[in-house]
Amino acid sequence: MMSKKLVCFMFSLVFAVVFAATGIYAGTEVADVFKMETKEYATRTKGLVEFTHKKHVEDYGIKCGDCHHDDKGKALDLKAGDNVQRCVECHKETEKAPKGEKLKKNEKIAKYHKEALHANCIDCHKDFNKEKGYKGKDPKAAPQSCASCHPKK
Ligand code: HEC
Ligand code: HEC
Ligand code: HEC
Ligand code: HEC
């Protein structure tokens, strides 16, 4: 027979573990699917893109670090529940580029939020479609055209 004391101790242990686990999750939860609506944009010209975060990780097998990196651009080694910074915290500019601004591609990406997101999302989709041989409007293709990501407003 287990002593009452031992049973009591085991119960509190279970509760402690459960609370610790949910505690870790609380601040860092990410929805399975969400609309990309970076609130820093003062004006918007396009419809909101729906992003299947969970599918990208679980079904498409993409590593966290292919999208989330540190302040040097180095891929982060993350696991579910870890905290990340929002893209706009580093790729800060949400205004349109002024006329005549001349930047190299990597400079544009570093500066403009839209350029960073497009480079991340669209470049991977292009590579994927090329590798699979998907052309144009193939329903299995990952979205590359403006309208296939941004619904009509
Ligand atoms: C295909 C790209 C991609 C992959 C893979 C990916 N994420 Fe994300 N994740 C994003 C984007 C984009 C956002 C939205 C960021 C923003 O709003 O600036 C995001 C948001 C998040 C957020 C919420 C951030 C917040 O403050 O709102 C967390 C937490 C997160 N991701 C963790 C992870 C972890 C952990 C993994 C791996 C298991 C992962 N992500 C894999 C692209 C990705
Ligand atoms: C902590 C700051 C920081 C955050 C947060 C951040 N980036 Fe970056 N990102 C950088 C830096 C620094 C570089 C490197 C710039 C260079 O090489 O000139 C970079 C480079 C990139 C590049 C070009 C290189 C590559 O990896 O293809 C893309 C695309 C990119 N970021 C997209 C994103 C996306 C999407 C998010 C959000 C999911 C994000 N970044 C969040 C700092 C950040
Ligand atoms: C490293 C590769 C990679 C990155 C980065 C990536 N995707 Fe994808 N995405 C895929 C693949 C692969 C598919 C299609 C898989 C298939 O159809 O079998 C896909 C499919 C999609 C689809 C259509 C199917 C669905 O799940 O809704 C949308 C929309 C999409 N991605 C949006 C985005 C957005 C927005 C971003 C950037 C925040 C992004 N993706 C970043 C690889 C990527
Ligand atoms: C793979 C999906 C994808 C494709 C394809 C795509 N975009 Fe985007 N675009 C995004 C994401 C994600 C954002 C960031 C939105 C946010 O975080 O609020 C964005 C932001 C923008 C913004 C800034 C916000 C706004 O509404 O003014 C513009 C402009 C834009 N995209 C135009 C385009 C154009 C033009 C094309 C075609 C050449 C295109 N996009 C193709 C995913 C995509």
Side-chain angles (χ1 to χ4, degrees):
M1 270 287 281
M2 271 191 268
S3 75
K4 256 190 194 153
K5 241 186 187 163
L6 184 60
V7 173
C8 227
F9 172 71
M10 284 166 67
F11 262 114
S12 47
L13 204 63
V14 168
F15 275 115
V17 169
V18 169
F19 275 116
T22 48
I24 290 165
Y25 257 87
T28 51
E29 231 170 275
V30 52
D32 296 348
V33 180
F34 54 89
K35 294 226 164 78
M36 285 295 300
E37 187 174 16
T38 301
K39 61 181 187 308
E40 283 79 356
Y41 282 92
T43 54
R44 252 174 217 288
T45 54
K46 293 278 170 191
L48 298 179
V49 177
E50 192 167 274
F51 179 47
T52 55
H53 191 271
K54 189 181 186 191
K55 259 192 169 178
H56 275 73
V57 175
E58 290 187 3
D59 298 353
Y60 311 153
I62 301 167
K63 288 201 294 284
C64 313
D66 282 342
C67 303
H68 296 289
H69 43 248
D70 67 10
D71 59 356
K72 311 264 182 315
K74 189 174 163 284
L76 287 168
D77 187 13
L78 300 166
K79 57 186 181 326
D82 286 348
N83 237 330
V84 304
Q85 286 177 278
R86 296 164 62 232
C87 315
V88 76
E89 291 177 53
C90 300
H91 303 275
K92 286 199 167 87
E93 192 53 68
T94 52
E95 295 292 323
K96 263 207 189 134
K99 274 210 180 87
E101 183 179 59
K102 284 206 174 61
L103 293 175
K104 297 197 191 88
K105 190 180 183 206
N106 66 318
E107 293 169 335
K108 272 196 212 161
I109 289 172
K111 181 172 178 187
Y112 291 99
H113 183 265
K114 181 187 89 170
E115 300 294 336
L117 269 294
H118 283 170
N120 179 244
C121 315
I122 302 173
D123 287 4
C124 176
H125 290 176
K126 278 188 179 158
D127 291 346
F128 173 79
N129 293 338
K130 206 184 233 171
E131 196 187 300
K132 296 279 183 184
Y134 296 150
K135 295 223 170 64
K137 293 201 156 74
D138 192 317
K140 295 197 290 293
Q144 260 180 249
S145 70
C146 316
S148 60
C149 268
H150 294 284
K152 267 220 173 86
K153 260 185 126 176

